[in-house]
Amino acid sequence: MRKAERLFQIIQILRRSSRPVTSSALADELEVARRTVYRDIAHLIAQRVPIEGEAGFGYVLDPRYDMPPLMLTPDEIEAVVLGVQMAARLNDAAIRNAASDVMAKITSVMPPELLPFIAEPAVGIKPEAIGGDATLDTRPLRSAIREGRKLELDYRAADGTISSRIVWPVLLGYADRHSLLIAWCQSKQAFRHFRTERILKVEILAEPIGMSRSRLRQQWQQWREAEMRKSG
């Protein structure tokens, strides 16, 4: 077990106990020597973690102490790292940049003892070049989804036909590194998937979609389930 993980576990053990926890009990649970526990406790106290007690008596954690929101577990850190690695594979520059920014923000406020889990994670995906055709800037699409606004699209179909459509955006999804705008199409009166690399022009309209985001998404989910039943 790495030192960062031990420090986190010591805090968790002390937090769940209402009585002093001896160094022997800590050592047994962590499967380390008692002298390692002494060093770790000293390190935590130096980092201003409010631990009281001493060898032979036991240690208690001030019940008012709460770890910072970004005092993540190693598993949580590696889940974030893996998500950023996956986002880096997407053919969506805005999402890739946002993922990198999130990682930089997390790294800047992460306690030093947890930084090795970011620098040398135990997880990873096979590096590959970004593939597929370039997509348009997806920020307007995501903005319209969040605000519940209609979109007017100029769209090129697979056969090359170009049409203008007004759609009610539901979700921006990803498949095989391609992004898909899932929306209700007013002209077709049905849900449709639009490949973002085929969207030639997009305009956010002032007109709202006329129903709540949750209701629109619920209708799409019902449609998707019905389509899945048909194909099954």
Side-chain angles (χ1 to χ4, degrees):
M1 181 184 296
R2 295 184 182 183
K3 180 179 179 180
E5 192 169 358
R6 287 201 315 272
L7 296 176
F8 183 85
Q9 284 299 109
I10 287 173
I11 293 174
Q12 293 293 81
I13 293 169
L14 296 179
R15 172 182 280 171
R16 71 173 183 247
S17 178
S18 59
R19 311 172 83 177
V21 182
T22 66
S23 57
S24 295
L26 288 168
D28 288 344
E29 183 160 346
L30 297 172
E31 298 181 346
V32 296
R34 290 174 62 182
R35 62 179 178 274
T36 300
V37 171
Y38 297 147
R39 287 198 298 265
D40 288 346
I41 291 289
H43 179 87
L44 288 169
I45 292 174
Q47 295 296 315
R48 300 185 179 180
V49 177
I51 296 174
E52 298 181 358
E54 57 186 22
F57 169 73
Y59 300 97
V60 295
L61 179 68
D62 188 326
R64 295 170 296 179
Y65 173 73
D66 194 16
M67 289 183 291
L70 283 175
M71 188 68 167
L72 305 176
T73 68
D75 284 346
E76 290 169 342
I77 293 171
E78 291 178 341
V80 172
V81 171
L82 191 61
V84 169
Q85 290 178 356
M86 290 178 174
R89 294 264 295 274
L90 299 175
N91 194 20
D92 188 326
I95 289 294
R96 292 200 309 270
N97 292 338
S100 296
D101 290 345
V102 167
M103 199 73 258
K105 289 178 181 179
I106 290 175
T107 302
S108 69
V109 297
M110 190 68 67
E113 60 269 18
L114 293 181
L115 291 177
F117 292 101
I118 296 177
E120 300 174 352
V123 297
I125 59 176
K126 181 181 178 182
E128 290 184 8
I130 297 169
D133 297 328
T135 62
L136 83 167
D137 185 348
T138 61
R139 286 174 293 184
L141 304 179
R142 290 182 280 116
S143 177
I145 292 169
R146 290 192 291 263
E147 296 173 9
R149 305 259 295 278
K150 293 183 182 182
L151 289 170
E152 184 173 359
L153 308 177
D154 286 350
Y155 187 72
R156 184 182 67 247
D159 62 3
T161 304
I162 297 176
S163 61
S164 180
R165 305 164 183 245
I166 294 178
V167 302
W168 303 8
V170 180
L171 182 71
L172 186 63
Y174 294 86
D176 298 327
R177 290 176 286 169
H178 292 288
S179 50
L180 301 165
L181 174 65
I182 300 165
W184 171 265
C185 180
Q186 283 191 180
S187 61
K188 299 294 184 181
Q189 287 293 291
F191 287 102
R192 291 288 186 267
H193 293 178
F194 300 94
R195 292 274 290 265
T196 56
E197 70 269 18
R198 295 178 185 164
I199 296 176
L200 306 178
K201 181 181 176 182
V202 58
E203 180 182 354
I204 301 178
L205 303 179
E207 185 179 1
I209 61 176
M211 69 172 65
S212 67
R213 286 178 57 195
S214 59
R215 178 59 180 162
L216 181 61
R217 182 167 295 207
Q218 183 182 40
Q219 289 187 2
W220 166 66
Q221 289 172 337
Q222 291 171 348
W223 170 84
R224 182 180 61 174
E225 291 169 1
E227 292 296 306
M228 292 175 64
R229 285 195 295 271
K230 290 178 184 177
S231 60

